[in-house]
Amino acid sequence: MGHTNDPAVIERLLRTKGRWAIVGLTTNEWRSAYDVSLFIRDRLGMEIIPVNLPGDSVHGETGYRTLGDIPAEKQPVDVVDCFVNSQIVGQVVDQAIAVGAKAVWMQLGVIDEAAAERAKAAGLDVVMNACPAQLAWKYDL
């Protein structure tokens, strides 16, 4: 049986102020991560940490190459928001588990059932194939 998103988990993650590492966030304004990360920061009030291969800073926030590169003073990460394709999201989920993240959020179209199960087994909350910006209206955010 596949993963089913829990509405209570979604609402808690969207309402609880925290630190979101946005994996796949780059300076490319045409990518959905660019606008969704602004929504997460400016509308939901979360701290965001860009994570991308070159380690570029985005939206004035310092960027890092991997979740493991995020310094101790920026840990723990509450939510790892995955804007990467399904073929590599498992690696990101494994990094999230390794750094002690509390939740993994896989964006629309990002699906990896095995990675979701690994994250749940490690005690992380999991949201898969969903966008926080599209769900926020349900919770009047």
Side-chain angles (χ1 to χ4, degrees), residues 2 25-26 32-33 50 56 62 65-66 80 86 100 102-103 109 116 120 123 134-135 138-139:
L25 173 58
T26 70
S32 58
D56 291 338
T62 301
R65 297 186 73 226
T66 69
V80 175
S86 298
K102 298 175 185 171
K120 286 191 276 189
Q134 290 183 348
L135 293 174
K138 284 185 167 187
Y139 306 101

Side-chain angles (χ1 to χ4, degrees), residues 62-101:
T62 301
Y64 301 93
R65 297 186 73 226
T66 69
L67 293 172
D69 291 338
I70 298 171
E73 63 269 12
K74 296 242 180 208
Q75 298 285 354
V77 170
D78 297 298
V79 179
V80 175
D81 192 358
C82 305
F83 281 92
V84 298
N85 67 49
S86 298
Q87 289 74 31
I88 65 168
V89 76
Q91 298 168 30
V92 175
V93 169
D94 292 340
Q95 287 179 35
I97 294 166
V99 301

Side-chain angles (χ1 to χ4, degrees), residues 18 26 31 36 41 47 69 95 98 101 117:
T26 70
R31 304 279 316 256
V36 172
R41 185 187 72 183
E47 176 185 349
D69 291 338
Q95 287 179 35
E117 287 303 315

Side-chain angles (χ1 to χ4, degrees), residues 13-14 16-27 32-52 55-64 66-67 70-71 73-83 107 132-133:
L13 294 177
L14 294 176
T16 304
K17 300 301 180 232
R19 184 175 290 135
W20 287 48
I22 315 290
V23 180
L25 173 58
T26 70
T27 57
S32 58
Y34 191 86
D35 289 328
V36 172
S37 62
L38 282 175
F39 180 89
I40 291 167
R41 185 187 72 183
D42 299 343
R43 180 77 181 268
L44 298 180
M46 308 298 178
E47 176 185 349
I48 64 166
I49 302 171
V51 178
N52 53 66
D56 291 338
S57 295
V58 185
H59 305 313
E61 308 291 344
T62 301
Y64 301 93
T66 69
L67 293 172
I70 298 171
E73 63 269 12
K74 296 242 180 208
Q75 298 285 354
V77 170
D78 297 298
V79 179
V80 175
D81 192 358
C82 305
F83 281 92
Q107 283 291 327

